[in-house]
Amino acid sequence: MLSPLTRRNLTLSYGYAACAFFGINTLWVIFLQQQGLSLVEIGLCESVFHLTSFLSEVPSGVIADRFGYRPVLIISRLMAIGHALIMLTAHSLGWFLLAFILQAWAYNLQSGTIEAAQYGSLVNTQATQHYPRVTTILNTTIEVADTLGVVLAGWLMPQHLSVTYWVYLAAALIAILAISGLRVPQRQLTKTHSAQPSLRTILRAATHLLVTQRRLRLLMIFDALGTTYYYYFQTVMTAQHFSGRLITTILIASMALNIVAIQLTPWLQRHQTQHQLLYGLCLSMIMALLSAFSHAIGLLVLIYLVINSLMALIEPLFSNYYNQLIPNGQRATLLSVASMVFSLAMISAFPLIGWLIQRVGFAVTFGSCGLLTLIALLSLYGYARRRAVQH
């Protein structure tokens, strides 16, 4: 039985998560285009976000250990407010880059901290057996909040997109009010953050994996291409003058298909080996990207939906694969290495693909990416066959 204080803490944490993960600023690529930024400059903003996030991952954990959950979560939302204010008032690339640095800090400071605060509340009343249900409610809350934000952002397209940042700012203020009532004793802080490996340890582990694991490099490309297609497709929506209603419909359809894909994952894992699934998903991604060469707008929309579904399918497979790659003694580095690998891929891929889109167009860029990835996949397959023959 949960105590009244624990119930109150959990309720406040759910409210905070709903506000913090409200997906109202999902269409930030379109917004930055409206502010006059080129696709290369937009790519640099995303690169700065991932670079800052990577460098701040370990320090943010130290800050949480030193000052506690509530102050860190409040600082996170203050950073989000700073991000929103700069996005609403900036007129130069330098200010927008600063906005994305603040956004990365806002993300890092709350990443894992909400879950740790919830677990700390349960530890305080010896009710940790309820944590699986608590984390399920939290993830559901985040998913619903993100979906509602995306729907609202699409409805505000294209004339009122600046309103999304005012809503984002207001949500951050509400989150601060909610989390201000959190009461988790300092002595109950878990080792979630303090057990994190050092930045040097993460770098060494990630470098070793990238050098020795060809399949991991292919998956890294998969993840980076899927994410860049998701965000840069917003430029297609702008160029084709999609209405707010049409954008909202596409985004809702994407969310629905993602949910279906997630539900299918356990069934696929039971009926296929990990090797078959990984190569099957990569091949599906390649076929989708190669289809972009057609330039047909309807097909590009379909590719957008397919790629998002594939990204939803690949997440649990990524997790399983990382677990198999990392030795038991390095298990604590798992999440940090996974996050770091993705960040490294995005730091270079996002501005490069933005530059290519400006030079040769969206369809040719992603079609060419599909062709290059196919070559890489065939090369990996040939290498595996040669190794099998040798042994």
Side-chain angles (χ1 to χ4, degrees):
M1 186 70 178
L2 297 177
S3 69
L5 177 59
T6 300
R7 289 183 181 276
R8 182 171 180 271
N9 281 341
L10 293 177
T11 300
L12 291 174
S13 66
Y14 296 143
Y16 178 93
C19 294
F21 289 92
F22 192 53
I24 189 67
N25 58 341
T26 301
L27 302 178
W28 59 270
V29 173
I30 296 178
F31 179 80
L32 290 180
Q33 277 191 299
Q34 292 178 350
Q35 307 311 305
L37 267 64
S38 68
L39 294 185
V40 174
E41 290 172 330
I42 291 172
L44 287 174
C45 288
E46 179 74 357
S47 291
V48 164
F49 172 87
H50 286 285
L51 179 61
T52 305
S53 179
F54 166 60
L55 295 176
S56 304
E57 183 173 356
V58 174
S60 66
V62 174
I63 292 172
D65 281 337
R66 176 65 180 83
F67 298 103
Y69 301 135
R70 184 176 61 184
V72 167
L73 291 173
I74 290 175
I75 294 172
S76 167
R77 291 305 88 198
L78 290 175
M79 294 294 177
I81 290 172
H83 169 78
L85 289 174
I86 294 177
M87 294 292 281
L88 287 167
T89 59
H91 297 287
S92 66
L93 176 61
W95 280 104
F96 284 120
L97 291 175
L98 176 60
F100 276 80
I101 291 174
L102 294 180
Q103 180 77 329
W105 284 339
Y107 167 78
N108 279 112
L109 288 171
Q110 76 180 18
S111 177
T113 307
I114 302 174
E115 294 88 339
Q118 290 182 328
Y119 194 82
S121 295
L122 295 173
V123 168
N124 191 42
T125 55
Q126 297 182 341
T128 54
Q129 70 274 16
H130 294 284
Y131 187 68
R133 174 169 171 76
V134 168
T135 191
T136 297
I137 295 175
L138 176 65
N139 289 326
T140 301
T141 300
I142 292 172
E143 189 66 32
V144 171
D146 182 64
T147 301
L148 290 176
V150 169
V151 171
L152 180 57
W155 182 67
L156 290 169
M157 271 288 296
Q159 292 86 1
H160 308 292
L161 204 52
S162 61
V163 176
T164 62
Y165 282 95
W166 286 111
V167 176
Y168 180 72
L169 191 155
L173 289 172
I174 296 172
I176 290 175
L177 292 176
I179 212 64
S180 295
L182 187 72
R183 297 290 184 270
V184 180
Q186 183 72 22
R187 62 183 177 84
Q188 292 292 349
L189 294 182
T190 69
K191 297 181 180 179
T192 301
H193 289 294
S194 60
Q196 284 188 344
S198 66
L199 182 61
R200 182 179 179 181
T201 301
I202 297 171
L203 276 170
R204 291 178 62 184
T207 301
H208 175 74
L209 289 175
L210 288 174
V211 170
T212 60
Q213 300 294 331
R214 292 172 176 262
R215 195 183 303 175
L216 179 60
R217 294 200 295 270
L218 183 63
L219 287 173
M220 182 181 70
I221 295 172
F222 181 104
D223 210 1
L225 285 176
T227 303
T228 51
Y229 192 101
Y230 173 81
Y231 283 115
Y232 276 129
F233 186 74
Q234 294 179 24
T235 65
V236 176
M237 296 179 183
T238 302
Q240 297 295 323
H241 306 291
F242 283 16
S243 66
R245 181 177 297 179
L246 178 57
I247 292 174
T248 301
T249 301
I250 293 172
L251 294 175
I252 292 175
S254 176
M255 294 287 182
L257 288 174
N258 286 354
I259 293 173
V260 173
I262 292 172
Q263 299 302 315
L264 282 175
T265 302
W267 182 87
L268 289 173
Q269 288 177 312
R270 288 194 303 268
H271 290 81
Q272 287 189 301
T273 66
Q274 185 186 84
H275 178 84
Q276 291 172 327
L277 275 174
L278 290 175
Y279 278 94
L281 289 171
C282 287
L283 189 59
S284 298
M285 169 75 82
I286 290 169
M287 293 301 103
L289 291 173
L290 288 174
S291 300
F293 275 126
S294 72
H295 291 77
I297 187 61
L299 185 56
L300 292 179
V301 173
L302 179 60
I303 294 170
Y304 172 83
L305 297 175
V306 169
I307 288 179
N308 285 344
S309 299
L310 293 174
M311 294 291 289
L313 280 170
I314 202 70
E315 287 303 323
L317 299 178
F318 257 123
S319 178
N320 291 338
Y321 188 51
Y322 278 120
N323 271 295
Q324 291 179 10
L325 287 176
I326 298 177
N328 289 331
Q330 300 178 11
R331 194 68 64 192
T333 66
L334 174 62
L335 294 178
S336 296
V337 169
S339 175
M340 194 283 304
V341 168
F342 176 71
S343 294
L344 287 179
M346 293 301 295
I347 287 168
S348 56
F350 216 88
L352 175 60
I353 289 181
W355 177 79
L356 288 172
I357 291 174
Q358 286 189 170
R359 300 282 294 184
V360 300
F362 181 90
V364 173
T365 295
F366 281 101
S368 300
C369 286
L371 184 59
L372 292 174
T373 309
L374 176 60
I375 294 172
L377 182 64
L378 292 175
S379 174
L380 181 59
Y381 178 76
Y383 174 81
R385 289 292 299 273
R386 288 193 298 272
R387 287 290 300 271
V389 171
Q390 291 173 0
H391 292 79

